[in-house]
């Protein structure tokens, strides 16, 4: 009897429940709990206990536990807060050549403050340290790739909380760590970090309290345009 081998399962990236929770996610759940307290669905003690848990929750799934027995929690679950982005950039969207490079050989180098992020940035730390801080950067492109290579060195990458972050890399007797992050806005920039850590360290994490103001302004403009179209009808 011939048996067909099942097709390999495609990696669709982390589920929404596994994503790191942002301050906006915690505020959303706290608002639902506050409404439940006002409606009499929760006692004061229950509300205080759940709010304490919300403050310590690390993932979106852990937050949902505190509102899964509330009507507002079920309404929210029917429409996911965000759609996970692919683990790799769109083919052809990012050039192979770097727009800029940051190199540290037996030294330190950094890129931070109000600077323009291109489509591709290369960071090399050879017996040195590199810091890439995108928390105040201007994103001119939606997809940004950072190639990070650390050899007996350290590469630290920080991004705003309201963008998406993905990592595809590895370590050889070293540490390569990228915290996946998803923005609730479909037009938000996506930062892809790849590379290697050879007897070194590469880390990419969101910077708490930092948001991309340009994204928020774009969203407000879209809302204003929709309102004007509705009023003109």
């Amino acid at each position: 009897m011939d048996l067909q081998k099942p097709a390999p399962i495609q990696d669709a990236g982390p589920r929404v429940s596994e994503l790191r929770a942002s301050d906006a996610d915690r505020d959303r759940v706290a608002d639902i709990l506050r409404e439940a307290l006002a409606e009499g669905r929760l006692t004061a003690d229950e509300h205080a206990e759940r709010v304490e848990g919300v403050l310590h929750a690390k993932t979106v799934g852990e937050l949902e536990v505190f509102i899964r027995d509330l009507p507002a929690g079920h309404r929210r679950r029917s429409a996911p807060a965000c759609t996970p982005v692919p683990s790799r950039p769109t083919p052809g969207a990012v050039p192979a050549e770097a727009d800029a490079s940051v190199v540290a050989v037996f030294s330190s180098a950094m890129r931070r403050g109000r600077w323009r992020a291109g489509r591709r940035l290369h960071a090399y730390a050879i017996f040195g340290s590199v810091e890439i801080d995108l928390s105040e950067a201007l994103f001119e492109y939606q997809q940004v790739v950072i190639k990070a290579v650390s050899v007996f060195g350290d590469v630290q990458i920080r991004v705003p909380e309201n963008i998406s972050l993905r990592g595809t890399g590895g370590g050889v007797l070293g540490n390569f760590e990228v915290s996946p992050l998803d923005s609730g806005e479909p037009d938000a920039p996506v930062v892809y970090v790849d590379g290697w850590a050879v007897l070194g360290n590469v880390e990419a994490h969101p910077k708490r309290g930092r948001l991309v103001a340009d994204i928020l302004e774009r969203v407000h403009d879209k809302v204003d345009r929709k309102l004007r179209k509705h009023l003109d009808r």
Side-chain angles (χ1 to χ4, degrees):
M1 181 174 60
D2 294 331
L3 296 177
Q4 293 183 345
K5 294 183 178 180
I9 300 176
Q10 297 292 330
D11 182 11
R15 293 176 296 179
V16 173
S17 61
E18 298 173 346
L19 300 175
R20 301 283 295 191
S22 67
D23 287 342
D25 295 325
R26 295 185 182 88
D27 291 342
R28 173 181 63 84
V29 174
D31 289 340
I32 293 176
L33 295 176
R34 190 180 304 110
E35 292 176 2
L37 175 64
E39 295 170 354
R41 300 181 189 275
L42 295 176
T43 65
D45 290 339
E46 290 172 334
H47 175 263
E49 181 180 355
R50 296 193 186 195
V51 169
E52 181 70 18
V54 167
L55 295 176
H56 292 88
K58 294 183 178 180
T59 66
V60 174
E62 292 176 2
L63 287 175
E64 297 297 332
V65 171
F66 298 106
I67 57 174
R68 64 186 178 188
D69 60 345
L70 300 175
H74 286 273
R75 290 196 298 269
R76 184 68 184 185
R77 193 177 303 131
S78 63
C82 55
T83 301
V85 299
S87 59
R88 296 182 180 276
T90 305
V94 180
E97 296 183 359
D99 298 312
S101 297
V102 182
V103 181
V105 180
F106 288 99
S107 62
S108 62
M110 65 183 64
R111 182 68 62 88
R112 63 185 181 186
R114 200 67 171 165
W115 59 287
R116 296 184 181 276
R119 286 178 292 182
R120 177 180 285 273
L121 174 67
H122 289 177
Y124 300 97
I126 314 298
F127 288 94
S129 63
V130 171
E131 178 186 353
I132 305 295
D133 190 340
L134 293 162
S135 62
E136 298 181 18
L138 295 171
F139 288 86
E140 298 180 315
Y141 304 95
Q142 186 179 20
Q143 299 185 66
V144 178
V145 172
I146 298 178
K147 181 179 180 180
V149 177
S150 172
V151 180
F152 287 97
D154 180 60
V155 177
Q156 295 288 333
I157 301 169
R158 295 293 179 264
V159 301
E161 281 193 312
N162 59 340
I163 72 167
S164 296
L165 177 64
R166 288 290 182 269
T168 53
V172 179
L173 298 178
N175 176 60
F176 186 96
E177 180 181 352
V178 177
S179 298
L181 181 68
D182 273 85
S183 172
E185 299 297 333
D187 294 333
V190 184
V191 176
Y192 296 93
V193 179
D194 63 27
W196 289 92
V198 181
L199 292 167
N201 180 63
V202 174
E203 293 184 11
H205 303 287
K207 195 168 184 177
R208 295 291 298 272
R210 292 292 187 177
L211 302 175
V212 178
D214 300 340
I215 298 175
L216 300 180
E217 292 172 359
R218 253 192 344 256
V219 173
H220 293 159
D221 289 342
K222 287 183 179 180
V223 173
D224 291 341
R225 286 197 298 270
K226 288 182 179 179
L227 288 175
R228 285 197 294 269
K229 288 182 179 180
H230 179 73
L231 293 174
D232 291 340
R233 291 179 180 177

